[in-house]
Amino acid sequence: ELGLYANLRPIKLFDELLGASSIKPEILKGADILFFRELTGDIYFGEKGRKNNGDTAFDVAEYSRYEVERIARKAFDARTRKKKLCSVDKANVLETSRLWREVVQKVALEYPDIEIEHQFVDATAMLLIKDPRRFDVVVTANLFGDILTDEASQIAGSMGMLASASIG
């Protein structure tokens, strides 16, 4: 109803709070990530159901080109940062992620000053803990964004230490 389609979640760790995380301070120092999570598509809003007398369940992930374009533009417009954008998907196995990557690559042509990197979600999950300082702006789908921002909250110490905004 409010037209909210983008969740912004900054992960910024201040030196005074380095001890709040269980991750080594030398890995965390200087971490400053801004996540853009798409909020209107993906598995949360797709068809759901049960079949075979309830023994089989399904959830359908669906994205339109328009949904991916608008969140990609919002993330690319974060120009005041380090001009690095990481788009997270699972294009090696998911058709929605192949569309996601195709659309983000096309939008990237409008932002030649921004360095773009595509990463699979499982690699991103590992790198968030191993080397969080390598990230600047991250844009991703609803499900992946939900999981990755919860994981990234541990960089700051807890989910309660993070700001979050849903915008349209």
Side-chain angles (χ1 to χ4, degrees):
E1 213 174 290
L2 297 174
L4 308 177
Y5 68 89
N7 177 258
L8 280 63
R9 172 146 301 155
I11 313 288
K12 184 169 175 76
L13 188 59
F14 298 97
D15 288 348
E16 297 80 13
L17 297 174
L18 281 172
S21 176
S22 59
I23 302 170
K24 294 177 184 176
E26 58 270 21
I27 291 173
L28 298 176
K29 190 172 177 73
D32 182 4
I33 309 166
L34 180 56
F35 278 90
F36 285 81
R37 170 186 168 193
E38 200 288 326
L39 288 177
T40 63
D42 212 349
I43 204 162
Y44 297 137
F45 296 99
E47 183 183 350
K48 302 167 186 345
R50 296 265 180 130
K51 57 186 179 181
N52 300 329
N53 295 320
D55 290 338
T56 303
F58 62 91
D59 298 281
V60 177
E62 188 171 274
Y63 264 112
S64 72
R65 185 172 299 278
Y66 169 73
E67 289 169 314
V68 181
E69 282 177 355
R70 69 182 177 179
I71 192 69
R73 280 197 175 84
K74 187 65 76 180
F76 275 108
D77 283 341
R79 300 187 105 96
T80 59
R81 298 182 57 88
K82 296 181 244 172
K83 297 186 184 290
K84 285 178 51 179
L85 185 134
C86 179
S87 176
V88 178
D89 60 42
K90 193 67 175 161
N92 58 335
V93 293
L94 298 175
E95 194 61 36
T96 51
S97 283
R98 286 190 274 276
L99 173 69
W100 182 279
R101 188 172 287 206
E102 173 189 312
V103 171
V104 171
Q105 285 175 326
K106 185 176 178 187
V107 172
L109 297 174
E110 301 169 25
Y111 299 85
D113 59 321
I114 306 291
E115 178 187 333
I116 176 80
E117 173 184 22
H118 297 277
Q119 256 182 26
F120 296 138
V121 65
D122 40 355
T124 305
M126 180 268 301
L127 288 168
L128 275 172
I129 299 303
K130 183 180 179 188
D131 185 15
R133 293 178 299 204
R134 77 182 314 269
F135 295 99
D136 180 28
V137 175
V138 176
V139 64
T140 193
N142 206 348
L143 176 64
F144 299 153
D146 187 7
I147 295 165
L148 291 175
T149 57
D150 283 3
E151 177 193 11
S153 73
Q154 292 309 295
I155 293 168
S158 78
M159 186 71 81
M161 297 173 73
L162 300 179
S164 179
S166 295
I167 61 171

